[in-house]
């Protein structure tokens, strides 16, 4: 799965907060399981958001460590990233290591894999569904062609569902992947039995499209279109979901990339170019016309017009002079400025804006919390109903 940045901060003398990147979640019930496990730990309050794949955890630093939190998540069957080092010396847009940016290749790989599986499933499932639903297309031995087309869908395209279901089963859990894996596997395996050991493989076998229910021994029925169709539809949902999450992450990374990459610092009256990440509070740096201001600070020399539209939306540049404050990532549209850095890294206005965006993404609406609670019991209930239905039919011959 994709992974995002993780940050940690102390909120009180003995309380700390950490934001972990969670991997391996495939549905809302996964997030509910992780949240439940973390909240069972003493002194821990956690909120896990499936959409952003993050866990925001508040814990007692004296009793619980980040390693304990990660171990709990991994014991549940998922992965968690430890927090990145504090970004006190890194400014937005600097060349410092950015976990969110580092996650982009893995997100691309995930999206590419999903797209390949989706294309495979759709191309093969469409003719299978058509042959099953349209009797005119059911030529001699059409059922064997359906088997040939369905096999790659169930084995290759649906592999992420089977893998996730097996992982969850090893930890005594059931998720939506369990339903998908069990359902498609049951439909495929029954069809195999009917084709090889029943009457479904005989020449002239047809699969009429009917809206009525009639009792039969099942040996002449195949359900390959169900296995292929369900896989294709679920993969389509997973693909569009992953693409929307990638776009949201890209927007946040674009916000952080607004800052300057390098800055000219005055050292003993000489301009020295350094990465923005090395800038310290109190350093004086030069901003020439057309350059971005490296970080938040106060103008100590010169006057100019500063274009802050990228942050504030104001279309008219604001005049600044000695003593005025300026914001990092804004554009110097006029004369030469000498600015003294007052805030760097995570303390800048741009970084705080990005933090607010992330906090908004990590928050859960009441409807989302209700959906998580329902998903936690939905899968066991469906499996129980399926077993009860099987028992009823077997008991009644």
């Amino acid at each position: 799965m994709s992974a995002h940045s993780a940050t940690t901060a102390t909120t009180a003398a003995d309380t700390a907060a950490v934001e972990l990147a969670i991997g391996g979640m495939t549905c809302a019930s996964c997030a509910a399981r992780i949240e439940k496990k973390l909240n069972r730990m003493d002194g821990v309050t956690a909120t896990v958001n499936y959409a952003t794949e993050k866990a925001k955890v508040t814990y007692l630093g004296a009793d619980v460590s980040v390693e304990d939190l990660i171990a709990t998540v991994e014991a549940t069957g998922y992965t968690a990233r430890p927090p990145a080092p504090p970004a006190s010396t890194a400014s937005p847009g600097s060349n410092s290591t950015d976990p969110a940016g580092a996650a982009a290749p893995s997100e691309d790989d995930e999206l590419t894999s999903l797209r390949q599986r989706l294309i495979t499933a759709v191309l093969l499932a469409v003719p299978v569904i058509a042959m099953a639903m349209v009797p005119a297309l059911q030529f001699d031995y059409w059922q064997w062609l359906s088997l040939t087309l369905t096999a790659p869908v169930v084995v290759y395209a649906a592999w992420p569902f089977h893998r996730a279901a097996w992982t969850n089963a090893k930890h005594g859990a059931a998720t939506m992947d369990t339903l998908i894996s069990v359902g498609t596997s049951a439909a495929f395996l029954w069809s195999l039995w009917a084709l090889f050991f029943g009457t479904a493989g005989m020449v002239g076998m047809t699969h009429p499209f009917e809206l009525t229910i009639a009792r039969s021994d099942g040996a002449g029925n195949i359900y390959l279109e169900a296995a292929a169709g369900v896989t294709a539809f679920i993969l389509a949902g997973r693909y569009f979901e992953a693409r929307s999450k990638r776009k949201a992450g890209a927007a946040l990374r674009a916000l952080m990339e607004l800052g300057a990459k390098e800055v000219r610092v005055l050292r003993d009256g000489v301009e020295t170019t350094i990465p923005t990440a090395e800038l310290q509070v109190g350093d004086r740096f030069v901003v020439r016309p057309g350059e971005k201001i490296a970080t938040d600070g106060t103008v100590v020399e010169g006057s100019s017009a500063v274009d802050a539209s990228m942050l504030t939306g104001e279309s008219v540049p604001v005049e600044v002079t000695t003593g005025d404050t300026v914001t990092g990532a804004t554009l110097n549209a006029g004369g030469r400025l000498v600015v003294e850095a007052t805030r760097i890294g995570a303390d800048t206005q741009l970084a705080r804006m990005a933090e607010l965006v992330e906090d908004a993404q990590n928050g859960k609406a009441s409807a989302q919390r209700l959906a998580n609670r329902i998903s936690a019991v939905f899968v066991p209930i469906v499996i129980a109903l399926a077993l009860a239905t099987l028992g009823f039919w077997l008991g009644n011959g």
Side-chain angles (χ1 to χ4, degrees):
M1 297 293 293
S2 61
H4 300 268
S5 62
T7 56
T8 184
T10 301
T11 59
D14 56 351
T15 303
V18 65
E19 188 177 88
L20 297 175
I22 307 298
M25 294 191 297
T26 55
C27 62
S29 60
C30 298
R33 284 189 62 232
I34 299 173
E35 187 172 301
K36 185 177 181 181
K37 290 289 186 180
L38 288 174
N39 284 322
R40 283 181 177 176
M41 300 176 67
D42 293 335
V44 173
T45 303
T47 300
V48 181
N49 192 305
Y50 168 62
T52 59
E53 296 180 328
K54 291 181 181 179
K56 195 168 186 178
V57 188
T58 302
Y59 62 98
L60 297 177
D63 301 329
V64 181
S65 66
V66 175
E67 288 72 20
D68 294 332
L69 299 174
I70 294 174
T72 299
V73 174
E74 292 178 344
T76 311
Y78 305 91
T79 62
R81 266 192 176 185
S88 58
T89 60
S91 296
S94 66
N95 291 335
S96 60
T97 301
D98 179 12
S106 63
E107 290 177 351
D108 290 338
D109 292 342
E110 177 194 4
L111 206 59
T112 300
S113 175
L114 273 175
R115 182 169 56 249
Q116 291 173 346
R117 295 179 191 276
L118 174 60
I119 292 174
T120 300
V122 170
L123 291 178
L124 298 180
V126 168
V128 172
I129 296 173
M131 286 188 290
M133 296 299 179
V134 182
L137 299 178
Q138 296 171 7
F139 51 86
D140 289 346
Y141 298 115
W142 67 273
Q143 64 272 41
W144 294 101
L145 175 60
S146 292
L147 175 64
T148 304
L149 296 176
T150 303
V153 177
V154 174
V155 176
Y156 166 71
W159 174 247
F161 307 135
H162 304 319
R163 180 178 55 199
W166 173 247
T167 300
N168 291 322
K170 290 191 295 183
H171 292 86
T175 65
M176 291 300 295
D177 291 290
T178 306
L179 290 183
I180 299 166
S181 179
V182 171
T184 56
S185 298
F188 183 73
L189 293 176
W190 177 267
S191 300
L192 279 180
W193 182 87
L195 286 170
F196 285 98
F197 302 103
T199 59
M202 299 178 62
V203 62
M205 177 269 189
T206 59
H207 192 181
F209 183 76
E210 298 177 348
L211 298 178
T212 58
I213 299 177
R215 181 184 293 270
S216 69
D217 61 358
N221 297 325
I222 59 174
Y223 304 94
L224 297 172
E225 77 283 358
V230 168
T231 300
F233 278 114
I234 299 298
L235 277 174
R238 292 280 174 90
Y239 171 73
F240 290 119
E241 180 183 50
R243 192 174 68 170
S244 64
K245 288 194 293 186
R246 181 182 180 276
K247 287 182 178 179
L252 186 58
R253 287 193 295 271
L255 177 63
M256 295 301 296
E257 285 296 319
L258 289 176
K261 303 297 185 296
E262 294 182 333
V263 58
R264 295 183 180 84
V265 181
L266 287 176
R267 299 280 169 81
D268 298 327
V270 179
E271 295 183 14
T272 303
T273 302
I274 63 172
T276 307
E278 298 179 9
L279 196 62
Q280 300 292 328
V281 173
D283 283 347
R284 295 190 174 189
F285 58 93
V286 177
V287 186
R288 295 176 180 173
E291 294 181 344
K292 290 182 178 180
I293 298 174
T295 191
D296 297 356
T298 303
V299 178
V300 295
E301 182 182 325
S303 61
S304 180
V306 175
D307 182 1
S309 59
M310 64 184 66
L311 294 179
T312 65
E314 297 178 7
S315 58
V316 180
V318 179
E319 295 291 334
V320 295
T321 187
T322 303
D324 291 336
T325 59
V326 290
T327 305
T330 54
L331 183 67
N332 179 16
R336 177 179 181 274
L337 294 175
V338 177
V339 180
E340 182 175 321
T342 57
R343 290 185 297 189
I344 60 173
D347 295 328
T348 63
Q349 182 174 335
L350 180 62
R352 290 179 178 177
M353 288 174 59
E355 184 179 0
L356 288 174
V357 173
E358 284 193 298
D359 288 342
Q361 290 179 335
N362 290 337
K364 285 185 179 180
S366 56
Q368 187 176 0
R369 293 184 182 277
L370 176 61
N372 286 350
R373 288 197 295 269
I374 293 175
S375 67
V377 297
F378 175 76
V379 174
I381 289 176
V382 172
I383 293 177
L385 289 175
L387 292 175
T389 303
L390 174 63
F392 173 80
W393 282 106
L394 292 177
N396 286 273

